[in-house]
Structure formats: structure tokens, C-alpha cells
Amino acid sequence: MLRLHPLTSTASMRCELTPQGCFEKVAFGQVQPLNIGLQMDIFEEGCIKVRDSRMNTGSSVGYGYNVAIEKLADELAVPQDRFDQAERRYKDLGEFLHRDESKVRDYDPDVYIQGSFALGTPIKPTSKDEDYDLDIVVSFRSLTKAQIFQADLRALLLAELKAYRDARGIKNEVSDEPRRCCTLIYADGAQFHMDVLPAVPNEANMRAVLSSYLADQALAEGAIAITDKDKTSTYRIITDDWPRSNPKGFAAWFKLRQIEQLNERRRAFLDAQGKVTASVEDVPVFRVRTPLQSSIMILKRHRDEWFAERDPDLKVISVILTTLSTHAYAGESRVSDAIAKILRDMHLAIKERNGVSWIANPTDPSENFADRWEKFPERQEAFFTWLEAARKDFGAVQSFSDTNIVLNELSRNLGSTLVEGARSRVAASAGSRAASVAPAAAAGASAPGLVFGGEDRRPTEPKGFG
């Protein structure tokens, strides 16, 4: 229960709860977007009314909203043939690095995907001018930090990528511009480019880090040390001080946070293929789509559209959106319910360490995904402003039962191309009916709603990830 001392005043006023958990007075009569949607009206009698101006508590999900959200996720999904193409490309690179003439074969290069393709959360580009970004790791399992400079490791990989480019007839040059990786852009029309990250194993170091935070040391499996040419003091010397990364650990954490829904869909995938005796672990995450994956995809597109109309340089980075969404997700079986829960609670994983906002990497708690917020506070402000806008946009149509109305309203927030594609999917699935209209009660269970209780929202010191 939220308790405040009665206030005396001659007029109504409005307060807001800041991300730091403090109440902040807003000028009388002003209507301003609130950081986390909790609005308080304080009346002259000292009575306090707490309400969410965006959604009502316990509001039911309308049938039309539920259908629209599912079809939007379907329309955003990257076609399976693109996943197949991505898989072929990184496996082809791995085979090339193990060829007889390879200069790195003896270092046992392990090639795998990371990022959105590994998590199953990439979204279609908005136009044919945009590429799919395929993030690749090349971990040289027979090398250690004590044997090679970061600069030399990167040079080895760069030389092999150039040989691969020539062997495969790729016209575009291999770029060495990015600070941590090399970039290979495929032919025009392919809509693919690969960011290839050189690395060496770093499991022992990561276990020590996780142990110090009382976190699950099993997440250290596959942890790597990576190169960073901007770290000039350590880039050209033998040192143990390499930047850390843990993409396999992050993917494992992401799976565990949704394991019930993930395995349910994996089993359905295997059953559809007649592989009734196969293990669900044989099905990669990107072969199915869970409510969490679909929710992240939809929120990515909302973010892209929202920031495109404002300041793209302040756009919330995908790893923050993905991490906070995954923390907030609680096993919801419908995308509409998952989005509501995520939007309601995603800010709760933002902690505070020594006065600094901290979004911990769940597989390396010493890393702050929001490290740039301290130097650029406008990024933090932009995150909360976008989050409030997303709550308002989705909350405004959550109870609607007419799919067409839902899509019409969301068109301004998600883009007309996406919405019209979803509308076509609705029409196709409805047969002769252009869109579904049904009582809201047909949706079944209530969504969590984007509302806030009276629990303490002041950030606390992280307690680890056990």
C-alpha cells in the first residue's frame, strides 16, 4: 500500500513517480507524460487517488486485439528460408576456416551465431534497402589470451575473411572499420551482411565473475574474450585484460526464462514433422516463435517507428529492450498478455549502483548494458518516454473487439506496411470474412493490464543472478 501524508492545498495538483522511486511535483493543471504511467491526483481535502491514465485495472483483452497482435507478429517474423540462409552462411564460413589451406585451422575455430538471429527475435527490414544483420562469433578454441595479441587475432581472421570473399565471389570488400568485428556484405539484393567477431575462450574468468555475484556459474559455458581496437593500451600486448562477452550464456538465460512455452512449441514443431521421438533440445530457438519472442519483435518495431519520428540517435538499443522484456516476462501463453506484462514491469529490472542506473548483463552482472546513460542522460529519458508511449498506444486498444479498428489505431505507431500485411493475414485466416469481430469475452483470461500497485519501486542493490 502506498502511503503519503495528507497535503493541504487550494487546488488539485499532479505528481509523478520517477524511475528512482521518488515523487516529483508537477505544475498545477499541467498534463505531462509520466515516466512509468502512475498518475496521482491530490485534492484539497488531502485525499489521494492513484490511477493509471493509460489502461484500466484488470481490463479484458478484446478478441480483435488478440487477433491483431498475433497477426502483427506473424507479419514481422523473418521467413524461415531467411533463417535457413543465415544458417547456411555461417556454417559455410566455418567449413571454410577448417579447409586444408586455412591459416587458422590449427586453432580450432568454432563459428556460431549470436544476437537476434540466435534468439529468434529478428524482424523484417522495413524496406529492401535495409539488410539483415547477422552477428557471427569465431572463437579460436585452441588459442588463449596468453598466446596472442588482440590485434594479431583480428588480423588472422581478417585475412581468412578476405580469402573467403574471393573464394565465394563476393564483390564487396571486407570492412575492418568496426571496433570489435569485421563486416562482410553480400551481393546487392541478398539483404545480408555478417558482422564477424574474433574471440578466444574465457570460461574460467567468467566463472569467477559469476561466482563473485553469487550467480549461476553454468552460464559461463562458452564465454569468450573479444578484441577491441579502441582499447589502445591493451590491443597490441600480451595481457589477460581483454573485453569479455558471453553470447552463449545469454542465449541459455533467454531460453530458461521461457522454457515452458519454448518447449511446448518445440514439441509441436517436432510432432508436425513426424519426429515424435526426437528431443526438443534438437530444435533451435529460431525454429519456433514464443510469446516472448513475438512481444520483443513487436516492441522493436514500435521503438523503431517512434524514434524515427524523433531522434534516432537516442533509440533504445536492442539488448536493453530484450533484457528488460525477458526479465518482465512471466510465462504468458498469449502474445497480447505477454506484451501487457512486459510493458507494465520492464522498468523493474533497472537497478541503481552507486547512483548509476544499471541494467546488468544477466550472464555478466559486472557489465552494465545502460553504461551510456550516465554520460548521456537524454538516453535514459528517451527510454522512459518511449516506454510510456508504448503503454499508451497498446493500452488504448487492448479491450477492442474489432480487429480492423485495432489495426487502424496501431498503424500510426507500427507503420502502415506492417499493419496492412497483418490485415491481409487476418482476412486470409477468416476466409470470406474480411476481419474478425467478436465479443471481448471470447478472449478468455484477463490480461495483466498496464497498471501499477503500491509496491516499493525504489531501485535496490543487485543481489546476483542465482
Side-chain angles (χ1 to χ4, degrees):
M1 175 66 68
L2 185 65
R3 298 184 184 276
L4 290 177
H5 293 294
L7 300 176
T8 57
S9 173
T10 58
S12 296
M13 61 180 287
R14 177 171 295 173
C15 291
E16 63 178 270
L17 185 63
T18 69
Q20 289 73 34
C22 302
F23 287 100
E24 203 170 74
K25 186 166 76 173
V26 181
F28 290 102
Q30 287 186 348
V31 178
Q32 298 183 5
L34 308 183
N35 279 338
I36 62 169
L38 181 65
Q39 182 173 304
M40 303 179 61
D41 291 322
I42 304 177
F43 300 96
E44 55 186 358
E45 310 91 87
C47 174
I48 299 172
K49 180 181 181 182
V50 182
R51 58 190 172 87
D52 183 346
S53 60
R54 307 311 180 203
M55 296 188 70
N56 297 320
T57 305
S59 57
S60 296
V61 174
Y63 176 81
Y65 176 76
N66 195 53
V67 170
I69 289 296
E70 294 286 347
K71 297 306 179 186
L72 285 167
D74 290 344
E75 183 63 19
L76 268 176
V78 172
Q80 278 299 322
D81 63 341
R82 285 293 190 178
F83 280 105
D84 294 339
Q85 188 178 15
E87 190 173 37
R88 287 195 301 270
R89 291 201 167 159
Y90 83 80
K91 288 184 176 180
D92 180 58
L93 176 61
E95 291 172 1
F96 183 83
L97 296 180
H98 280 274
R99 75 196 189 283
D100 291 341
E101 301 82 10
S102 172
K103 296 179 181 179
V104 298
R105 179 183 180 183
D106 291 342
Y107 302 136
D108 192 17
D110 179 26
V111 182
Y112 57 91
I113 57 172
Q114 64 167 330
S116 62
F117 267 86
L119 302 179
T121 60
I123 56 177
K124 288 179 184 175
T126 55
S127 74
K128 293 182 179 180
D129 296 329
E130 297 181 35
D131 286 344
Y132 289 98
D133 185 3
L134 186 59
D135 296 313
I136 304 293
V137 175
V138 178
S139 178
F140 296 96
R141 291 176 290 194
S142 296
L143 277 176
T144 69
K145 291 180 285 185
Q147 294 175 296
I148 194 168
F149 299 171
Q150 292 179 44
D152 288 349
L153 181 68
R154 186 177 177 121
L156 278 173
L157 178 62
L158 182 63
E160 285 297 301
L161 288 176
K162 289 180 177 179
Y164 177 76
R165 165 191 172 272
D166 293 341
R168 297 295 182 264
I170 299 171
K171 295 181 179 180
N172 296 305
E173 294 292 334
V174 179
S175 172
D176 189 36
E177 287 300 315
R179 57 185 287 195
R180 293 177 174 174
C181 64
C182 304
T183 299
L184 180 61
I185 301 175
Y186 283 86
D188 294 340
Q191 274 192 288
F192 258 111
H193 75 264
M194 287 200 307
D195 289 329
V196 188
L197 181 72
V200 296
N202 197 40
E203 290 185 15
N205 180 273
M206 189 62 74
R207 282 197 189 92
V209 172
L210 291 169
S211 176
S212 70
Y213 283 88
L214 304 180
D216 184 3
Q217 295 182 48
L219 294 173
E221 184 175 351
I224 54 177
I226 61 176
T227 66
D228 187 342
K229 66 181 182 181
D230 285 358
K231 304 282 187 180
T232 55
S233 63
T234 57
Y235 190 59
R236 299 183 184 278
I237 62 173
I238 294 294
T239 176
D240 190 56
D241 185 17
W242 289 41
R244 293 192 300 266
S245 187
N246 195 6
K248 286 188 175 181
F250 191 93
W253 172 78
F254 184 74
K255 288 198 297 185
L256 287 173
R257 292 288 303 171
Q258 54 173 335
I259 194 65
E260 183 177 343
Q261 294 297 326
L262 177 61
N263 284 346
E264 182 179 307
R265 284 156 177 77
R266 283 166 148 181
R267 175 51 59 196
F269 177 85
L270 290 172
D271 289 348
Q273 293 192 326
K275 299 178 180 179
V276 294
T277 61
S279 169
V280 293
E281 291 300 323
D282 296 334
V283 181
V285 172
F286 61 80
R287 290 296 179 194
V288 297
R289 198 170 71 247
T290 65
L292 175 58
Q293 291 168 315
S294 293
S295 297
I296 291 171
M297 290 159 54
I298 291 171
L299 292 177
K300 278 184 178 181
R301 177 51 52 85
H302 183 281
R303 171 207 62 183
D304 292 346
E305 294 289 328
W306 194 85
F307 279 96
E309 295 181 357
R310 292 163 180 83
D311 188 346
D313 291 337
L314 298 179
K315 185 169 75 170
V316 179
I317 59 176
S318 291
V319 71
I320 285 180
L321 193 156
T322 300
T323 301
L324 296 181
S325 296
T326 306
H327 274 299
Y329 179 68
E332 291 78 16
S333 61
R334 297 191 308 185
V335 182
S336 54
D337 292 342
I339 286 180
K341 176 63 167 60
I342 288 167
L343 289 177
R344 188 185 72 185
D345 290 345
M346 69 187 306
H347 67 287
L348 296 179
I350 304 174
K351 307 300 181 181
E352 186 176 304
R353 292 188 189 177
N354 301 319
V356 176
S357 292
W358 199 281
I359 302 174
N361 178 343
T363 59
D364 182 358
S366 66
E367 179 182 5
N368 180 15
F369 285 147
D371 57 350
R372 303 192 72 185
W373 285 9
E374 183 178 16
K375 184 177 181 181
F376 303 102
E378 61 272 22
R379 290 177 178 269
Q380 180 173 2
E381 181 181 353
F383 167 80
F384 282 101
T385 305
W386 165 75
L387 177 56
E388 180 63 18
R391 287 168 170 164
K392 177 181 178 182
D393 294 340
F394 289 98
V397 296
Q398 188 188 40
S399 62
F400 288 7
S401 59
D402 189 314
T403 306
N404 271 319
I405 294 177
V406 174
L407 292 173
N408 289 342
E409 291 298 312
L410 290 179
S411 179
R412 69 193 73 174
N413 313 122
L414 299 175
S416 58
T417 301
L418 169 62
V419 166
E420 291 311 309
R423 199 189 307 275
S424 296
R425 290 177 181 271
V426 172
S429 65
S432 60
R433 292 175 296 149
S436 299
V437 179
S446 292
L450 308 190
V451 295
F452 309 98
E455 70 269 27
D456 182 11
R457 295 185 181 276
R458 187 180 300 278
T460 59
E461 278 293 316
K463 302 300 190 297
F465 295 83

